[in-house]
């Protein structure tokens, strides 16, 4: 099971940290991705992190330089730190897990999904 938290209303230029807490499996052994779904749009990849053996991190488009994905093995949790937020970052954010060593910035490989947390960037 994956449970996201940390979303809310954020002003443009602000920051927020999303959490993805896992239970029933060890996040060290899975590739974990973060995804965003804006109203009326398809779900898209934002960032992902390889399993702990590889630990590579990857970012899509505008997330580069603004977002940071990380893993806390002791808490079995993956985080997405988002900075310099703008209204285009608004959407429901989901984390997902894939039983794979290397993560991918695509929706289809991921088997396990959380319920999502809403991030709204607005003044």
């Amino acid at each position: 099971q994956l449970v996201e938290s940390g979303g809310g209303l954020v002003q443009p230029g602000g920051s927020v940290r999303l959490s993805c807490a896992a239970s029933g499996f060890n996040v060290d052994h899975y590739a974990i991705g973060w995804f965003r779904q804006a109203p009326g749009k398809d779900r898209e990849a934002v960032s992902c992190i390889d399993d702990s053996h590889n630990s590579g991190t990857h970012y899509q488009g505008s997330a580069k330089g603004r977002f940071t994905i990380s893993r806390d093995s002791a808490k079995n949790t993956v985080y997405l730190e988002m900075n310099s937020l703008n209204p285009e970052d608004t959407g429901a954010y989901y984390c997902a897990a894939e039983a794979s060593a290397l993560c991918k910035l695509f929706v289809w490989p991921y088997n396990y999904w959380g319920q999502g947390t809403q991030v709204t960037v607005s003044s």
Side-chain angles (χ1 to χ4, degrees):
Q1 182 182 10
L2 295 168
V3 178
E4 302 95 334
S5 61
L9 177 63
V10 186
Q11 290 194 338
S15 300
V16 68
R17 187 178 78 161
L18 305 182
S19 300
C20 173
S23 59
F25 67 96
N26 189 331
V27 295
D28 284 349
H29 303 151
Y30 283 72
I32 306 294
W34 279 100
F35 301 82
R36 174 176 61 227
Q37 188 163 19
K41 294 188 176 181
D42 293 335
R43 192 171 299 185
E44 61 180 358
V46 174
S47 179
C48 69
I49 186 167
D50 299 333
D51 72 359
S52 60
H53 178 71
N54 294 279
S55 290
T57 57
H58 311 274
Y59 301 91
Q60 190 79 279
S62 63
K64 295 178 182 178
R66 298 190 302 130
F67 295 1
T68 302
I69 190 170
S70 62
R71 178 193 291 110
D72 185 332
S73 299
K75 295 183 177 180
N76 210 28
T77 298
V78 173
Y79 301 99
L80 184 67
E81 180 82 28
M82 303 192 293
N83 300 309
S84 302
L85 288 165
N86 57 65
E88 288 70 37
D89 297 313
T90 293
Y93 283 75
Y94 300 86
C95 65
E98 179 196 5
S100 174
L102 301 180
C103 71
K104 304 169 188 68
L105 290 171
F106 300 101
V107 171
W108 60 267
Y110 292 85
N111 312 103
Y112 308 102
W113 290 83
Q115 84 291 347
T117 185
Q118 178 68 32
V119 174
T120 302
V121 184
S122 174
S123 55

